[in-house]
Amino acid sequence: MTAPVRFPRFFVTSPAPCPYLPGRSERKVFTELKGPHADSLNDALGRIGFRRSQTVAYRPSCLDCSACISVRVVADEFVPSGTQKRLIKRNSDLVATVCRPWSTSEQFELLQRYLAVRHPEGGMTSMDEVDFADMVEHTPVTSYVVEYREPSEDGVTPGRLVGACLTDRQCDGLSMIYSFYDPHHERQGLGTYIILDHISRAREMDLSYVYLGYWVEGSPRMQYKVRFRPMEKLGRTGWERFSTEEQERLIASAVASPRAAGDLGGTGGKDGVPSITG
């Protein structure tokens, strides 16, 4: 006899202020990831718009809003724009290393510098080193941290850490859980480069997608995500591709955004360490 299938139990949070759209509230539905089938459950939930935070998978379930849309880059068809090609060339000397999901003081210090400049009002600014360790290390699924370092002077000693990304490997793609970088570095476009590198990694691993979390039209801090083509969004009938015209319009809007001059490579709120209690 086969063991009975155990479906996960889902819970709903209490409404809280939305971190992206003023005057609106957010609510999440979530379930716990645990046991020997955590990877397969995370894969299945990821395909229907869930994101992982530590040992929890969650997605927005707001009462009066559906602005948060799951998006993913079609990695095996991705063609970089001229700007993205130049960015790849300019940062090709960075040394990227896949590390086990184990936090370091160097990573935490980099995160603090990133948050202080990019998200000074965000909830993650109150994180201490223990919180950061929980974020990185409490994972029941296949995860790792990709570190990006400057070339070392002697070729032996690791160079200065300038970027990092906590990443889940799913059966059909890479899910970028949280990325951050040195906001004061003279290199421009580090956050975008981290995404471009993940697209390249997905292709090398024969994975079809790079999951970027939630995109919110009208939220300037989320508009960097639409610059990667082709891109798919999750709708009522499943994943569908942005039309060329729609994505060109959104990219033009993102370029005109007050935040467009910055390099918004990190994610927060619904894509960071959400509050699941309540």
Side-chain angles (χ1 to χ4, degrees):
M1 295 179 61
T2 58
V5 176
R6 293 188 177 183
F7 292 97
R9 296 179 62 191
F10 290 90
F11 307 89
V12 179
T13 65
S14 299
C18 177
Y20 298 114
L21 299 176
R24 300 193 191 185
S25 62
E26 67 166 356
R27 193 181 69 163
K28 304 182 185 77
V29 59
F30 67 96
T31 190
E32 187 177 8
L33 297 169
K34 62 179 180 180
H37 304 296
D39 264 314
S40 58
L41 177 58
N42 191 47
D43 288 343
L45 293 176
R47 288 193 293 272
I48 57 173
F50 278 74
R51 295 282 284 168
R52 184 184 68 84
S53 175
Q54 299 178 25
T55 60
V56 165
Y58 69 95
R59 66 172 294 173
S61 181
C62 304
L63 295 171
D64 55 356
C65 181
S66 57
C68 292
I69 299 174
S70 295
V71 292
R72 65 187 186 186
V73 184
V74 185
D76 51 6
E77 296 182 37
F78 174 74
V79 178
S81 66
T83 298
Q84 290 167 342
K85 288 179 180 178
R86 291 189 291 273
L87 193 60
I88 293 170
K89 183 177 181 180
R90 188 161 60 241
N91 291 286
S92 61
D93 63 328
L94 290 179
V95 179
T97 305
V98 176
C99 309
R100 62 175 181 160
W102 190 259
S103 66
T104 67
S105 295
E106 189 180 21
Q107 293 169 2
F108 178 62
E109 290 167 3
L110 178 64
L111 174 67
Q112 286 185 307
R113 295 198 300 274
Y114 169 79
L115 292 173
V117 174
R118 293 301 183 190
H119 304 289
E121 306 299 327
M124 291 182 68
T125 56
S126 62
M127 289 177 65
D128 59 22
E129 198 159 359
V130 174
D131 296 326
F132 176 67
D134 288 343
M135 170 181 160
V136 174
E137 298 171 14
H138 285 188
T139 172
V141 302
T142 304
S143 304
Y144 47 80
V145 176
V146 184
E147 292 187 339
Y148 299 85
R149 295 180 179 273
E150 294 177 338
S152 64
E153 295 183 0
D154 58 10
V156 178
T157 306
R160 182 160 65 102
L161 183 68
V162 297
C165 184
L166 175 61
T167 304
D168 287 354
R169 173 169 179 164
Q170 298 181 182
C171 64
D172 62 350
L174 298 178
S175 179
M176 298 179 66
I177 302 301
Y178 198 87
S179 63
F180 52 97
Y181 55 89
D182 185 349
H184 299 296
H185 203 281
E186 60 272 13
R187 294 174 186 258
Q188 296 297 310
L190 282 172
T192 299
Y193 177 74
I194 291 173
I195 297 175
L196 293 169
D197 179 68
H198 274 68
I199 295 172
S200 176
R201 289 175 181 277
R203 295 177 71 158
E204 291 173 358
M205 299 165 72
D206 290 325
L207 299 174
S208 298
Y209 306 106
V210 172
Y211 288 84
L212 297 183
Y214 302 114
W215 167 72
V216 183
E217 187 169 9
S219 175
R221 61 193 283 193
M222 290 296 219
Q223 299 317 301
Y224 71 92
K225 298 184 181 184
V226 299
R227 300 187 186 195
F228 302 88
R229 296 189 282 189
M231 176 169 284
E232 295 181 346
K233 58 183 176 180
L234 183 60
R236 292 182 179 275
T237 59
W239 291 95
E240 57 187 40
R241 191 165 298 195
F242 281 91
S243 68
T244 301
E245 295 75 15
E246 181 183 14
Q247 196 155 7
E248 287 180 350
R249 174 184 65 81
L250 293 170
I251 291 173
S253 177
V255 170
S257 167
R259 294 291 295 272
D263 181 24
L264 305 179
T267 51
K270 294 182 180 65
D271 290 331
V273 184
S275 173
I276 301 298
T277 60

